[in-house]
Amino acid sequence: MKRREFVTTSMLAGISTVTGNSPTFSAASKIQSKEQKSMAFTLPNLSYAHDALEPYIDKMTMEIHHGKHHAAYVTNLNNAVQNTEWEKKTLEEILSNVSKLSVAVRNNGGGHWNHSAFWNWMRPNGGGQLAGELSSAINRDFGSFDKFKEQFTQAAMTRFGSGWAWLIKQNDKLVIASTPNQDNPLMDIADVDIADVKGIPILGVDVWEHAYYLKHQNRRADYLLAWWKVVNWEEAAKRFTGAK
Ligand code: MN
C-alpha cells in the first residue's frame, strides 16, 4: 500500500471537509480533485458524524473503521486494478467477475462494497421494528421478525473468524447467509466456493473484530445486541424494493 499517498489524500480530504470552499484552501482542493480523478474508486463520506451512533457504536471504532480500514480497502483496490480494463468498470461488475481476478481485487473490492453498504445500514436513532413490504416478506420467510433476528444473530455469532452475516434475496425468497473475510453474496464465487450465499444483499453486519474490539473486546454477542439498536431499516427496505 502506498502509505504516503493515502495519508496525503486523507489529510486533504480532512481539510476540505473542515473548510468547505474556503479560498484559503483552494490549492489543497485542487490537488485533491486531481488525485481523485486518477483513482477509480473513492472512500465515501459517512452520512452522520463518527460519534452519532454512540453509545452503541463508539466514535473511535467508527473513525478507525471508516478512516483506516475502509480507506485501505479503497487504496488497495485502486492499486490492484490500476492499468487494467477493470479500472473503468463498476464495483458490481468487478464482483460478478471476481473469480477471474486477483485475490487482492477479491479482498479489497469486497471490502469496499461491504463497508460502503454497511455505513448506510446503520443510522442514529435506528433499530426498532420494521414495517412495510420487507416486514411482510420477513414474516413470510422466517415466521416472525423476532425469529429472523434470532437466526441472523446466530449466523453472525457462528461465523468463525472474520466475515459478514447477511440477509439476502435469493430468487423470490429471503435467506440468511454468511461469508468469510470480505467475500459477499454478489460475487460470482458466492455459489461455488461458498455454498448457497449468492443473492442480493438486503442487510449485512460486519463481524470482523475491528468492528467491535475497542468497545466490546471479544464479546461479539454484546456488539450484535448494540448493533440492532442502530440498524437503518429504511435502507434495508429500500434495497428490498430495488431488488425486485
Ligand atoms: Mn470492517
Side-chain angles (χ1 to χ4, degrees):
M1 168 172 139
K2 292 175 184 165
R3 180 162 170 80
R4 207 174 63 167
E5 192 177 287
F6 161 65
V7 171
T8 308
T9 309
S10 50
M11 276 172 63
L12 291 172
I15 289 166
S16 92
T17 306
V18 172
T19 62
N21 293 324
S22 160
T24 318
F25 287 93
S26 61
S29 307
K30 266 180 200 155
I31 296 166
Q32 187 201 2
S33 55
K34 198 181 165 197
E35 282 193 6
Q36 283 190 344
K37 209 173 172 184
S38 65
M39 296 190 302
F41 299 99
T42 53
L43 180 68
N45 290 323
L46 295 177
S47 62
Y48 43 79
H50 289 107
D51 62 358
L53 303 179
E54 294 264 12
Y56 305 110
I57 310 286
D58 62 291
K59 183 184 179 190
M60 190 185 279
T61 295
M62 288 301 294
E63 284 173 347
I64 295 172
H65 201 175
H66 177 256
K68 305 286 183 196
H69 289 281
H70 189 175
Y73 297 128
V74 172
T75 302
N76 294 337
L77 174 62
N78 281 324
N79 290 339
V81 296
Q82 200 170 25
N83 302 323
T84 73
E85 59 175 306
W86 300 99
E87 202 172 22
K88 307 267 185 280
K89 308 278 188 185
T90 66
L91 188 50
E92 284 75 12
E93 284 174 308
I94 289 175
L95 298 183
S96 60
N97 287 283
V98 86
S99 62
K100 302 170 202 158
L101 299 166
S102 66
V103 175
V105 173
R106 176 173 171 175
N107 289 340
N108 295 292
H112 181 33
W113 194 97
N114 295 346
H115 288 84
S116 300
F118 186 57
W119 310 130
N120 293 324
W121 277 321
M122 301 186 288
R123 53 165 281 187
N125 308 119
Q129 289 289 320
L130 173 64
E133 276 186 320
L134 176 57
S135 174
S136 312
I138 281 177
N139 290 334
R140 181 195 66 205
D141 293 336
F142 301 102
S144 70
F145 185 65
D146 285 345
K147 279 185 189 155
F148 151 72
K149 275 180 76 175
E150 205 175 286
Q151 282 183 45
F152 186 97
T153 303
Q154 179 71 5
M157 281 302 294
T158 53
R159 164 50 51 197
F160 183 75
S162 298
W164 293 73
W166 307 97
L167 172 67
I168 59 175
K169 186 164 176 285
Q170 210 170 50
N171 304 315
D172 283 325
K173 207 168 179 282
L174 289 173
V175 172
I176 286 165
S178 91
T179 52
N181 308 314
Q182 295 296 351
D183 288 353
N184 84 26
L186 296 172
M187 290 179 171
D188 62 347
I189 45 97
D191 54 359
V192 182
D193 286 18
I194 326 157
D196 295 331
V197 299
K198 192 97 165 69
I200 300 167
I202 307 298
L203 183 69
V205 65
D206 188 347
V207 295
W208 282 58
E209 282 185 343
H210 68 221
Y212 59 90
Y213 205 85
L214 290 177
K215 186 176 173 76
H216 299 290
Q217 293 78 52
N218 60 322
R219 302 183 302 276
R220 190 185 286 185
D222 290 356
Y223 158 66
L224 292 168
L225 274 176
W227 183 77
W228 284 118
K229 309 272 193 197
V230 295
V231 169
N232 182 354
W233 288 113
E234 288 81 1
E235 176 67 19
K238 202 174 80 187
R239 284 178 182 271
F240 181 65
T241 306
K244 282 186 173 174

